[in-house]
Amino acid sequence: IDKKRRSGEENVVVDMSCATGLFTRRFTKSGEYDRVIACDYSDSMLTEARRRIRVDSDIALSNTKLDLVRCDVAKIPFKSDSIDAFHAGAAMHCWPEIEESLKEIYRVLAPGGRYFASTFLGTYFQNVANLEKSSNGGNDVEQSMQAFQYFPTVDGLRDLLLDAGFDR
C-alpha cells in the first residue's frame, strides 16, 4: 500500500461482512486508504452502517472515498487483482459457502495484497452450545438453528486458505 501511495496509485481496502461498519469507519478515518468499500449481504446491516457513518463527524472530514455494496462474499462483484487489502472481522464462520468465498477473495486481491480475518474455532461454539444446553434444561441445540461454520482447528482454517490459493 505504501508503494502504491508513493506512485500515486489508488489503494483500496474492502471490509467484507461489515455489519454496522465499525471497521469501515476506522479504515475511513485512518487516512491509510484512498478508498474503503464496505460490503455485506444484509440490507439491514448496510442500512445501519450507513446510519452510523452519517452521524460520524470525523468521516465527513476524511478524503477517503467510501462505498457501501450489497454482495455475497462467494460472488464478489469486483475485477480480479483489484483490491489491496481485504478485511473480514468475525465473519468467516457466517459464510455458508466458505471454500467459494475464500477463492473469490483470493481472486480479487491484487498481487501482494493482504487478507486479514478473524473468526471463531469450533471449540468456542461448542462452549456456547454447552451453555445453551445447560440453560435449556439439558436439551441439545438443534444443528439447523446454528448459522455458522465449525472450524475445528487453526490448521483446518489454514488448509482452507491454502486450497483457495493463498500462500503459507
Side-chain angles (χ1 to χ4, degrees), residues 31-144:
E32 294 294 318
Y33 305 98
D34 296 312
R35 184 176 182 198
V36 175
I37 304 172
C39 301
D40 206 290
Y41 187 78
S42 167
D43 282 326
S44 298
M45 286 289 99
L46 289 170
T47 297
E48 180 60 20
R50 188 173 289 108
R51 186 192 70 76
R52 292 180 187 212
I53 288 165
R54 285 185 179 140
V55 299
D56 190 326
S57 59
D58 292 332
I59 289 180
L61 302 173
S62 173
N63 290 325
T64 302
K65 295 176 202 165
L66 175 58
D67 297 300
L68 277 71
V69 176
R70 183 180 185 276
C71 72
D72 181 346
V73 65
K75 298 173 185 76
I76 302 171
F78 304 143
K79 292 179 184 176
S80 297
D81 303 326
S82 63
I83 304 298
D84 301 297
F86 203 101
H87 173 261
M92 287 175 55
H93 57 279
C94 297
W95 299 342
E97 300 173 293
I98 190 66
E99 292 88 356
E100 292 84 358
S101 299
L102 293 173
K103 287 176 184 173
E104 274 292 276
I105 292 167
Y106 183 78
R107 178 187 65 78
V108 301
L109 277 173
R114 296 287 185 252
Y115 174 45
F116 301 93
S118 60
T119 193
F120 300 95
L121 293 177
T123 52
Y124 170 81
F125 289 117
Q126 187 58 51
N127 291 338
V128 170
N130 288 339
L131 287 171
E132 178 69 23
K133 182 177 180 177
S134 68
S135 69
N136 194 23
N139 296 320
D140 285 325
V141 176
E142 288 186 42
Q143 190 72 14
S144 64

Side-chain angles (χ1 to χ4, degrees), residues 155-167:
D155 288 338
L157 276 171
R158 185 179 300 115
D159 289 344
L160 285 169
L161 290 162
L162 292 171
D163 290 347
F166 290 90
D167 295 331

Side-chain angles (χ1 to χ4, degrees), residues 5-24:
R5 183 176 290 123
R6 286 190 301 272
S7 70
E9 294 178 67
E10 181 179 68
N11 58 67
V12 180
V13 63
V14 167
D15 186 18
M16 183 58 72
S17 300
C18 68
T20 61
L22 173 66
F23 282 96
T24 299

